[in-house]
Amino acid sequence: MLNEADIATLWLTFKVASLATLIMLMLGTPLAWWLARTSSRFKGICNALVALPLVLPPTVLGFYLLVMLGPKGPVGRLTSELGWGTLPFTFGGLIVASVLYSLPFVVQPLQASFAAIGRQPLEAAATLRAGPLDTFFNVVVPLAKPGFMTAAILGFAHTVGEFGVVLMVGGNIPDKTRVVSVQIYNHVEALEYEQAHWLAGGLLLFSFTVLLVLYSALKTHPVAHQLK
């Protein structure tokens, strides 16, 4: 069965995943909207940067984040001057690493959803003198609702399962930065296979359920609705 340390890591993991998903939706929505609508020559570069964590080894991303956020890095020096200290091996560092690593799982579904809407709904809203914000929140968001659902679910689920990046940036500090994936590693390293089975099996069931719900929902609701 799960012990107190396992339960603590579960609570911390879901807390990190929830906050990271909220931040990713706030940052990813305007970014995905711009990528879906722009014809800028920098669009390809931005798309590549957003998708980079999908192909980059987690330890590489974690290493450079550690350098940037550390006391000698540009971000680390800035946060130190602001009196925040450095982010590595803190809860804040976990959030930063999780957001950057899982951002493609939020941006790409939203971008595809926004692109699928087409120009007709936007032009119809413009003829009714709707402002940009009014058009976005009352026209785009309802039409792209399946895309938001996909982005939130994938972003949350991927953050829950992170290992390499969070271990590099957050470390393995009990009740502070030790998440479920790291706790499973600790159990295996200590040959505590029964406890590792409980956590690993729980994550396996969670991941399967999330994907089952997601694909069942997308079967009846496309990524975005277009006006005919």
Side-chain angles (χ1 to χ4, degrees):
M1 295 293 290
L2 300 179
N3 56 34
E4 291 185 7
D6 294 334
I7 295 173
T9 59
L10 284 170
W11 166 245
L12 179 62
T13 300
F14 285 103
K15 186 165 65 171
V16 169
S18 299
L19 184 55
T21 301
L22 179 61
I23 295 173
M24 285 188 288
L25 287 171
M26 294 174 62
L27 297 177
T29 298
L31 177 58
W33 177 249
W34 180 81
L35 289 172
R37 310 303 303 175
T38 187
S39 57
S40 171
R41 60 181 179 177
F42 299 110
K43 179 178 179 178
I45 297 176
C46 292
N47 273 321
L49 288 174
V50 169
L52 193 60
L54 295 176
V55 297
L56 198 65
T59 50
V60 174
L61 179 60
F63 169 72
Y64 283 112
L65 282 175
L66 200 59
V67 172
M68 291 183 63
L69 300 176
K72 295 183 179 180
V75 178
R77 286 197 295 266
L78 177 62
T79 55
S80 295
E81 290 177 2
L82 293 174
W84 299 344
T86 53
L87 292 176
F89 311 114
T90 66
F91 180 80
L94 277 183
I95 297 297
V96 172
S98 298
V99 167
L100 292 177
Y101 188 53
S102 296
L103 192 61
F105 292 87
V106 171
V107 172
Q108 291 185 348
L110 288 176
Q111 183 180 349
S113 188
F114 292 152
I117 292 174
R119 300 193 62 85
Q120 183 181 350
L122 306 181
E123 293 171 353
T127 61
L128 298 174
R129 298 183 179 180
L133 289 179
D134 188 31
T135 299
F136 183 80
F137 286 107
N138 293 294
V139 178
V140 175
V141 170
L143 291 176
K145 187 177 179 180
F148 278 98
M149 180 182 67
T150 303
I153 291 175
L154 289 182
F156 183 88
H158 188 257
T159 303
V160 168
E162 290 174 3
F163 176 73
V165 170
V166 296
L167 183 61
M168 291 284 289
V169 177
N172 189 6
I173 306 173
D175 300 321
K176 189 174 181 181
T177 63
R178 181 183 292 172
V179 293
V180 171
S181 56
V182 177
Q183 182 72 345
I184 293 174
Y185 176 80
N186 289 339
H187 284 319
V188 173
E189 195 175 39
L191 302 179
E192 299 169 347
Y193 291 145
E194 183 178 352
Q195 289 179 282
H197 273 305
W198 278 100
L199 286 177
L203 284 187
L204 177 62
L205 180 62
F206 169 77
S207 300
F208 177 78
T209 303
V210 164
L211 292 177
L212 181 62
V213 170
L214 177 60
Y215 285 118
S216 298
L218 292 180
K219 185 177 180 180
T220 55
H221 301 284
V223 175
H225 302 290
Q226 282 188 299
L227 293 183
K228 301 295 185 181

